[in-house]
Amino acid sequence: MDVVVCVKQVPDTEQPIRVRADGSGIDEQGLNWILNYYDEHAVEEALRVRERHGGTVTVVCVGPPRATEALRTALAMGADEAVHVWDPALEGADHLGVSRVLAEVVRRMPHDLVLCGRLATDDNASVVGAALAEYLGLAQATAIAKLEIGDGVATVEREVEGGVEVLRVPLPAVFTVERTINEPRYPTLPGIMKAKRKEIRTLSLQDLGLDPAQVGAAAARVRYARFDPPPRREAGRVVTPESPEEGARLIAQFLQDTAKVL
Amino acid sequence: MPGPDSYRDLREGVRKLCARFPESYWRELDEREEYPEAFVRAMTEAGYLAALIPPEYGGAGLGVAEASVILEEVHRSGGNAAACHAQMYVMGAILRHGTPEQKQRYLPPIARGELRLQAFAVTEPEAGSDTPSIRTTAVRRGDRYVISGQKVWISRVQHSDLMLLLARTTPADQTRRRGEGLSLFLVDLRANLGKTVHVRPIRTMINHHTAEVFLEDLEVPLEDRIGEEGQGFRCILDGMNVERILIAAECVGDGDYFVDRAVAYAKERRVFGRPIGQNQGVQFPLAQAYARVRAADLMRFRAAELYDAGLPCGPEANMAKLLAAEASWEAANAALQTFGGYGFAREYPIERKFRETRLYQVAPVSTNLVLAYLAHNVLGLPRSY
Ligand SMILES: Cc1cc2nc3c(=O)[nH]c(=O)nc-3n(C[C@H](O)[C@H](O)[C@H](O)COP(=O)(O)OP(=O)(O)OC[C@H]3O[C@@H](n4cnc5c(N)ncnc54)[C@H](O)[C@@H]3O)c2cc1C
């Protein structure tokens, strides 16, 4: 089983994120960049597939030079190889552009299974995995919570409203994973050291035979108009009822008249 | 000197492991005075405790700088590495002074974590800080030594398979110099505990598993003496620099822990209609503590850099430990004050660490003894003892 995992480097959401004053994007100064949590689960699932069925795990990332750190995190967990793609023309590429680049990388390597996170915690778009499957012409299932590999087919489970959907999908296929699928391992010291020594190749669009005009910023069908910070939360209203009954009445009144949820 | 990000991967890895052991884990253990077995197992299995063991014996072969970053991160997360840090460095005596056979026999299982060598028995009730005056005696009988005496404050002895032991082999009045006539032994606790080695736990103000140890005609085979007979004190001295640097790093981790928590609380807690952190009376002690922690951090890396380059680092290692232990205590105090009454509450994060970080001004060496070392050996002042 040769598994390819597509990963993204995102800002650590445990830190405060600030929008630039001119609304052109987020302020990257001092941000801590990490491997997208959902992708960490995808890497973990790939490693489990390798443990059960043999084969290799290759992680692929499209992103600026700092994104290699996310690849090292995946290598430290135990991935075999890492491929980094960057090209100045990709600055401003949209999700479909990135998906086309990933499709080209995946096409060039053995792949029985392609895994992605269900979404990236920076823009929550959930587009790349699905688009990648389309560009590769492979079967897909999104947001899977369980994966079992059989002979040429995978059985996957999706959590749907009120139940579980079980799908049988021919391989090779593309799956995006839900965070409930597993608990990712933390790296070991030997893993961290091996990852540090590993050479990470960076491929340009030219290396992949791709035309910047088709996948880069120039081809983007989506452009960000403006970023706004979330509205400031107003201070809550404090009421000091005389009795529990009055308190209950005030709350009910608030829910009915002000919040209009009752 | 390494840049701020030189250890990014290592820090991230240790943080991920520590995230599985949140403060509630440590708080509950503290209440029950239990050994953090699950945490120690995780640290062992992830290979962190074998950081300093060379690759040919199955370790990671890293320097003291990296090892110190590992322990620092444990402390910064709110944990306490005292339960297992000695597994990292007590083996140094075998590594630096053992025979090839001893290294081959002991280091690989220590690296794998199958053998725990994390008890180091030096302190005695009568001798205290004056190590050369210890009285535990080892007498050579044929192919073995027979050892009797008493040790105190021997940490982790109940969670260790092997114990490194310092004992007198030549009476003090028959040696040329103070500090000679002591020898170092590797004691197999598994075979001797409850027979010739008796342990009485000492309860302390922190969850630190330490004990009195009584030795009665303990037999140690000749091949388990580490280093030459009579040179035991010298054999432990070079290991002490490593210990000082690692302890300094734990203090830096504690210091950052206190500053992190106190700053977050000071921003959030509102009294008199504003965050308490808006008052300079709250800000300044935290800024001061932060500056002291950073300064100690630099001295820690300076000492580690010298040690890892094979250069003498006694003064720097001692100063790192001195400054870092003071900085972490100052930060603890500032944090406690910032938390006000809640600083005393068991379910708030500060009070446990407050108790724990106080230890480092007393053990493994007390502040006065570090100052005396600097006064005598660096400043050339007359010896006071
Ligand atoms: C929790 C804990 C764990 C420990 N773990 C270990 C362990 O694993 N192995 C081990 O061998 N030991 C261990 N120790 C012992 C520790 O190293 C000693 O407590 C420490 O070295 C001080 O010795 P003492 O307690 O006998 O104090 P003393 O030597 O009695 O000193 C008491 C005070 O007097 C001061 N003082 C003494 N002489 C002088 C002087 N000449 N000038 C100025 N001031 C002086 C000291 O600085 C100290 O403040 C541990 C101690 C504790 C508390």
Side-chain angles (χ1 to χ4, degrees):
Chain A
M1 268 284 155
D2 292 317
V3 190
V4 181
V5 188
C6 301
V7 303
K8 186 176 187 183
Q9 192 191 37
V10 297
D12 189 350
T13 45
E14 308 227 325
Q15 288 183 316
I17 309 263
R18 282 176 310 271
V19 171
R20 268 189 241 137
D22 64 1
S24 63
I26 59 163
D27 183 0
E28 296 195 358
Q29 193 106 43
L31 277 188
N32 186 28
W33 295 87
I34 59 168
L35 173 60
N36 176 37
Y37 287 131
Y38 287 84
D39 301 344
E40 212 173 304
H41 292 266
V43 173
E44 175 64 37
E45 199 59 24
L47 295 173
R48 291 184 188 190
V49 168
R50 186 187 67 188
E51 277 158 14
R52 273 185 300 240
H53 305 280
T56 61
V57 174
T58 305
V59 279
V60 183
C61 179
V62 178
R66 59 168 158 71
T68 52
E69 285 171 7
L71 289 171
R72 290 213 192 272
T73 302
L75 287 170
M77 288 173 73
D80 300 289
E81 295 296 334
V83 179
H84 175 231
V85 183
W86 187 238
D87 199 299
L90 286 169
E91 185 80 58
D94 66 1
H95 296 98
L96 294 183
V98 170
S99 308
R100 290 180 71 164
V101 175
L102 287 171
E104 194 52 40
V105 178
V106 173
R107 205 173 279 133
R108 288 160 178 249
M109 56 177 73
H111 56 279
D112 302 303
L113 182 64
V114 181
L115 296 177
C116 305
R118 176 168 78 78
L119 57 81
T121 54
D122 51 359
D123 59 17
N124 291 2
S126 290
V127 170
V128 168
L132 172 63
E134 285 303 310
Y135 288 129
L136 287 170
L138 296 180
Q140 64 166 303
T142 55
I144 65 167
K146 196 168 174 208
L147 169 66
E148 254 168 53
I149 303 291
D151 193 12
V153 302
T155 307
V156 301
E157 291 185 9
R158 302 179 68 243
E159 286 159 5
V160 293
E161 194 64 44
V164 175
E165 193 177 277
V166 183
L167 305 173
R168 225 178 299 285
V169 186
L171 294 176
V174 179
F175 299 130
T176 72
V177 308
E178 191 52 88
R179 289 190 71 178
T180 46
I181 193 167
N182 56 40
E183 173 154 28
R185 69 198 62 194
Y186 45 77
T188 63
L189 181 55
I192 293 168
M193 290 173 57
K194 221 163 95 190
K196 249 191 153 87
R197 285 193 294 264
K198 199 118 200 165
E199 205 188 318
I200 297 180
R201 265 186 317 148
T202 297
L203 302 177
S204 66
L205 291 180
Q206 199 185 354
D207 293 333
L208 292 166
L210 289 168
D211 178 0
Q214 306 231 295
V215 296
R221 278 179 267 182
V222 174
R223 226 159 273 158
Y224 291 110
R226 203 181 66 244
F227 284 78
D228 287 326
R232 283 186 83 84
R233 252 197 307 166
E234 282 173 42
R237 212 173 80 211
V238 180
V239 292
T240 30
E242 303 272 316
S243 65
E245 290 77 16
E246 199 206 338
R249 194 182 55 74
L250 288 172
I251 291 171
Q253 194 179 22
F254 172 83
L255 292 175
Q256 208 158 28
D257 302 344
T258 314
K260 298 197 174 18
V261 292
L262 288 186
Chain B
M1 183 123 331
D5 268 330
S6 311
Y7 306 105
R8 205 194 64 86
D9 307 15
L10 191 56
R11 289 184 189 280
E12 191 184 291
V14 181
R15 278 178 201 168
K16 281 197 171 140
L17 185 154
C18 290
R20 305 280 169 96
F21 301 93
E23 293 202 55
S24 54
Y25 170 80
W26 295 100
R27 187 167 61 232
E28 281 159 27
L29 287 177
D30 184 64
E31 271 161 23
R32 297 197 303 263
E33 294 186 51
E34 271 173 28
Y35 186 73
E37 192 62 49
F39 168 76
V40 174
R41 204 177 323 115
M43 288 291 284
T44 307
E45 284 169 3
Y48 289 117
L49 302 183
L52 289 170
I53 300 177
E56 61 265 38
Y57 301 111
L62 293 173
V64 173
E66 285 91 349
S68 77
V69 166
I70 293 169
L71 299 179
E72 176 195 343
E73 286 297 333
V74 171
H75 279 249
R76 185 167 190 174
S77 80
N80 190 342
C84 59
H85 59 196
Q87 176 79 356
M88 255 189 187
Y89 63 80
V90 174
M91 66 80 209
I94 303 177
L95 181 62
R96 283 183 297 270
H97 304 287
T99 61
E101 294 74 44
Q102 287 172 331
K103 291 189 222 183
Q104 210 52 63
R105 180 162 165 219
Y106 290 113
L107 294 179
I110 291 171
R112 289 192 296 269
E114 290 160 17
L115 269 187
R116 278 186 186 170
L117 167 55
Q118 51 176 358
F120 185 24
V122 176
T123 307
E124 294 188 5
E126 300 282 322
S129 301
D130 184 12
T131 304
S133 69
I134 59 167
R135 295 201 193 156
T136 294
T137 307
V139 180
R140 173 102 180 250
R141 293 229 181 94
D143 62 352
R144 52 197 53 233
Y145 287 89
V146 180
I147 305 177
S148 293
Q150 185 184 342
K151 296 284 175 183
V152 67
W153 301 116
I154 307 314
S155 302
R156 301 160 298 270
V157 62
Q158 293 145 294
H159 302 279
S160 205
D161 302 307
L162 304 172
M163 173 175 81
L164 203 62
L165 171 76
L166 190 69
R168 187 156 280 290
T169 36
T170 309
D173 55 11
Q174 290 171 30
T175 59
R176 275 177 301 142
R177 259 183 282 152
R178 239 175 98 77
E180 282 186 1
L182 302 173
S183 303
L184 203 53
F185 301 94
L186 197 56
V187 177
D188 189 340
L189 291 168
R190 296 162 301 178
N192 295 295
L193 212 57
K195 294 171 192 152
T196 52
V197 178
H198 296 274
V199 167
R200 199 161 72 203
I202 307 173
R203 294 186 62 205
T204 63
M205 67 188 266
I206 54 176
N207 184 20
H208 191 106
H209 297 252
T210 190
E212 286 181 280
V213 175
F214 303 88
L215 310 162
E216 284 169 23
D217 296 326
L218 162 69
E219 296 193 356
V220 175
L222 200 55
E223 66 261 25
D224 284 341
R225 191 192 68 223
I226 308 292
E228 281 174 39
E229 188 178 289
Q231 298 300 313
F233 193 50
R234 207 177 53 78
C235 291
I236 63 169
L237 281 183
D238 49 13
M240 282 182 175
N241 287 332
V242 175
E243 185 180 63
R244 304 265 196 278
I245 296 168
L246 296 180
I247 296 293
E250 293 182 0
C251 292
V252 167
D254 277 353
D256 280 328
Y257 167 89
F258 288 120
V259 173
D260 284 351
R261 295 298 188 283
V263 165
Y265 187 77
K267 283 181 185 164
E268 201 177 274
R269 168 78 172 161
R270 294 180 71 88
V271 183
F272 292 109
R274 60 184 148 165
I276 57 169
Q278 200 176 330
N279 303 300
Q280 290 185 331
V282 175
Q283 290 175 356
F284 287 2
L286 295 175
Q288 183 79 58
Y290 178 73
R292 296 240 159 95
V293 173
R294 291 281 72 75
D297 193 16
L298 287 177
M299 186 63 86
R300 175 272 294 249
F301 275 119
R302 176 67 185 148
E305 180 186 50
L306 289 170
Y307 186 90
D308 289 335
L311 296 168
C313 67
E316 289 77 10
N318 275 283
M319 288 189 285
K321 190 275 182 185
L322 171 80
L323 296 172
E326 285 177 354
S328 78
W329 177 239
E330 185 180 336
N333 214 13
L336 193 86
Q337 199 67 19
T338 303
F339 271 77
Y342 300 93
F344 290 82
R346 283 271 151 101
E347 73 251 49
Y348 274 73
I350 298 303
E351 71 84 32
R352 174 181 55 84
K353 294 286 279 182
F354 180 87
R355 289 182 274 121
E356 287 174 356
T357 210
R358 185 61 181 81
L359 173 66
Y360 299 117
Q361 291 187 62
V362 172
V365 62
S366 74
T367 299
N368 276 1
L369 271 286
V370 173
L371 292 171
Y373 166 89
L374 293 172
H376 302 164
N377 298 306
V378 181
L379 304 180
L381 290 165
R383 293 190 71 87
S384 59
Y385 54 81

